[in-house]
């Protein structure tokens, strides 16, 4: 029987499907992939949820859960992403570098409102307040005119490689992501909860997601002694988005403890320090809100920037508690869009430390 090659929309495995088939079952993860009718026009099917995976797009405005009882797969129009075979990022500049990625998924039923606002706010903060050179801040959004800055899977991968290229002691790196995140079943046994977290590029339905394993391999493990990486991750299911070995649990009184997430593989750096500040726990949804500014922003991004601007001599403990307070006030006041579930910002790290004495230095 004639067949065509396609890719599992959940784990990325290449599979064969009979010509004319509307679905294909992945032999590795047993997930059902909705097949595109053709590749020569700008349509793609939204993947359906199943009992092995979390929904493709969980809630944030536009991040509403896809496994709701009334959810049906549907098609959407979106601009064709640029076809680029040789991605050429800018030359590396300076001791401070940042990759800022914001994706709205325009034309999709689960499109986002605040992602590009988040990235523009973060760029202004890094350049104007923290002294990052403009040439050292690489922004990927659907608004960018340069083709290598369109947030495809290939371009995001290239940007992450650029971020750590030639990294030396004393360098300060930032990776900020605002977009959709999902969970997929872990196949290599290195996750305590049995799920990998993943980033959804604008072309994830054809090219697949970027798993936390790959993000860790690309920007965490190469980090040399004396260098620092901060991840600011504004998406759902993001507690361990950088796959770092230690996750901090803190209550509202400030008492904290570290959870060790090392199981089978090394998740640390090459001597440097990696810190991830994320929107919520691995099982939680994040939210956009208009409560802070009147226009849509990610609650994590806004509360992070505001706390660093308003407070001096800030420790990681004070940062986390201040962000939690701002987000809870938004939830109890005007409120966050999407689910009414509590959103608790998370801190993870390549090493354990006293979060109430270690200062935030970006």
């Amino acid at each position: 029987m004639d067949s065509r090659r396609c890719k599992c929309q959940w784990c990325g495995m290449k599979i064969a499907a009979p010509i004319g088939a509307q679905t294909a079952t992945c032999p590795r993860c047993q997930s059902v992939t909705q097949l595109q009718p053709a590749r020569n026009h700008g349509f793609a099917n939204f993947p359906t949820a199943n009992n092995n995976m979390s929904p493709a797009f969980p809630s944030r405005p536009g991040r509403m859960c896809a496994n709701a009882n009334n959810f049906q797969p549907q098609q959407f129009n979106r601009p064709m992403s640029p076809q680029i075979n040789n991605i050429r990022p800018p030359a590396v500049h300076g001791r401070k570098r940042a990759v800022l990625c914001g994706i709205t998924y325009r034309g999709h039923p689960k499109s986002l409102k605040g992602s590009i606002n988040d990235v523009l706010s973060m760029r202004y903060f890094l350049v104007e307040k923290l002294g990052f050179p403009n040439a050292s801040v690489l922004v990927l959004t659907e608004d960018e005119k340069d083709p290598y800055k369109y947030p495809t899977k290939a371009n995001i991968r290239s940007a992450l490689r650029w971020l750590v290229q030639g990294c030396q002691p004393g360098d300060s790196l930032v990776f900020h992501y605002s977009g959709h995140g999902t969970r997929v079943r872990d196949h290599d046994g290195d996750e305590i909860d049995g799920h990998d977290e993943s980033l959804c590029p604008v072309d994830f339905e054809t090219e697949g997601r970027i798993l936390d394993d790959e993000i860790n391999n690309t920007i965490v493990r190469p980090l040399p002694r004396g260098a620092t990486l901060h991840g600011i991750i504004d998406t759902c299911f993001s507690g361990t988005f950088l796959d770092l070995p230690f996750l901090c649990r803190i209550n509202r009184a400030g008492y904290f403890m570290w959870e060790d997430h090392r199981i089978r593989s090394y998740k640390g750096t090459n001597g440097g320090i990696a810190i991830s500040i994320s929107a919520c726990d691995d099982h939680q949804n994040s939210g956009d809100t208009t409560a802070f500014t009147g226009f849509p922003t990610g609650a994590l991004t806004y509360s992070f920037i505001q706390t660093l601007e308003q407070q001096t001599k800030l420790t990681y403990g004070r940062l986390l508690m201040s962000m939690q307070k701002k987000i809870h006030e938004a939830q109890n006041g005007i409120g966050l869009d999407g689910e009414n579930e509590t959103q608790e910002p998370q801190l993870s790290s390549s090493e354990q430390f006293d979060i109430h004495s270690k200062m935030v230095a970006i």
Side-chain angles (χ1 to χ4, degrees):
M1 179 182 294
D2 292 337
S3 63
R4 60 171 173 156
R5 302 286 291 178
C6 59
K7 185 178 290 186
C8 175
Q9 291 179 328
W10 301 100
C11 69
M13 181 179 181
K14 292 182 178 179
I15 54 180
I19 296 295
Q22 297 182 353
T23 62
T25 301
C26 176
R28 181 168 75 174
C29 69
Q30 300 300 311
S31 297
V32 176
T33 293
Q34 301 286 330
L35 301 179
Q36 293 178 230
R39 289 201 61 161
N40 60 352
H41 54 75
F43 291 88
N45 285 323
F46 186 79
T48 56
N50 59 68
N51 58 7
N52 292 330
M53 301 293 171
S54 294
F57 278 175
S59 58
R60 206 180 160 187
R63 302 184 193 194
M64 309 306 291
C65 291
N67 62 349
N69 293 333
N70 60 351
F71 177 82
Q72 295 295 328
Q74 48 189 310
Q75 293 182 327
F76 67 100
N77 291 301
R78 62 173 171 83
M80 294 294 288
S81 57
Q83 299 300 314
I84 305 169
N85 295 322
N86 298 310
I87 310 300
R88 188 173 59 85
V92 173
H93 297 273
R95 308 303 299 272
K96 292 188 173 187
R97 298 197 294 278
V99 169
L100 316 179
C101 181
I103 311 176
T104 63
Y105 313 89
R106 287 174 182 160
H108 197 285
K110 303 300 179 183
S111 63
L112 302 178
K113 300 176 183 178
S115 297
I116 293 180
N117 293 336
D118 290 345
V119 163
L120 296 179
S121 297
M122 186 63 70
R123 178 171 62 181
Y124 177 85
F125 175 67
L126 294 178
V127 173
E128 299 298 329
K129 304 296 183 180
L130 298 185
F132 278 65
N134 252 319
S136 299
V137 179
L138 180 57
V139 174
L140 292 87
T141 72
E142 292 114 311
D143 283 351
E144 296 297 319
K145 303 303 181 184
D146 292 331
Y148 65 80
K149 294 182 180 179
Y150 197 77
T152 63
K153 183 176 183 178
N155 285 353
I156 295 172
R157 281 175 160 175
S158 179
L160 293 178
R161 291 193 296 268
W162 170 83
L163 183 63
V164 295
Q165 178 185 337
C167 184
Q168 299 177 6
D171 287 358
S172 177
L173 312 180
V174 171
F175 171 49
H176 174 229
Y177 174 68
S178 179
H180 279 307
T182 67
R183 305 173 80 201
V184 298
R185 191 167 58 185
D186 171 40
H187 291 283
D188 55 11
D190 68 341
E191 297 284 351
I192 287 179
D193 63 358
H195 290 86
D196 284 312
E197 286 63 51
S198 69
L199 179 158
C200 293
V202 70
D203 57 349
F204 82 98
E205 289 165 305
T206 56
E207 301 305 315
R209 297 158 175 76
I210 301 177
L211 298 185
D212 56 358
D213 294 340
E214 178 178 344
I215 296 172
N216 182 280
N217 285 334
T218 304
I219 63 175
V220 173
R221 293 197 186 188
L223 204 65
R225 186 173 301 280
T228 303
L229 166 71
H230 283 90
I232 299 99
I233 311 300
D234 204 344
T235 187
C236 298
F237 309 132
S238 53
T240 59
F241 202 83
L242 264 59
D243 218 14
L244 297 174
F246 303 106
L247 178 66
C248 183
R249 299 295 189 188
I250 181 173
N251 64 19
R252 296 186 184 184
Y255 295 100
F256 72 94
M257 62 176 291
W258 290 96
E259 286 182 359
D260 190 339
H261 280 241
R262 295 170 297 180
I263 298 181
R264 292 180 50 187
S265 60
Y266 179 69
K267 299 184 178 185
T269 68
N270 192 28
I273 298 174
I275 302 286
S276 177
I277 300 163
S278 54
C280 57
D281 208 341
D282 282 344
H283 66 278
Q284 292 179 331
N285 296 312
S286 65
D288 282 338
T289 182
T290 58
F292 297 121
T293 63
F295 59 86
T297 59
L300 181 280
T301 299
Y302 183 85
S303 63
F304 173 82
I305 293 174
Q306 285 294 299
T307 302
L308 263 67
E309 286 186 332
Q310 294 171 357
Q311 298 190 31
T312 59
K313 297 183 179 180
L314 194 64
T315 65
Y316 286 99
R318 287 178 59 195
L319 171 64
L320 202 60
M321 293 178 69
S322 176
M323 290 167 56
Q324 289 176 344
K325 181 180 178 181
K326 292 179 186 296
I327 291 175
H328 291 155
E329 288 174 351
Q331 288 176 316
N332 295 328
I334 298 176
L336 297 178
D337 294 333
E339 299 289 326
N340 293 321
E341 177 184 350
T342 299
Q343 176 182 337
E344 298 282 351
Q346 301 292 309
L347 174 73
S348 59
S349 174
S350 58
E351 60 183 37
Q352 302 179 66
F353 56 87
D354 181 356
I355 66 171
H356 295 301
S357 62
K358 189 176 183 67
M359 304 299 293
V360 179
I362 299 178

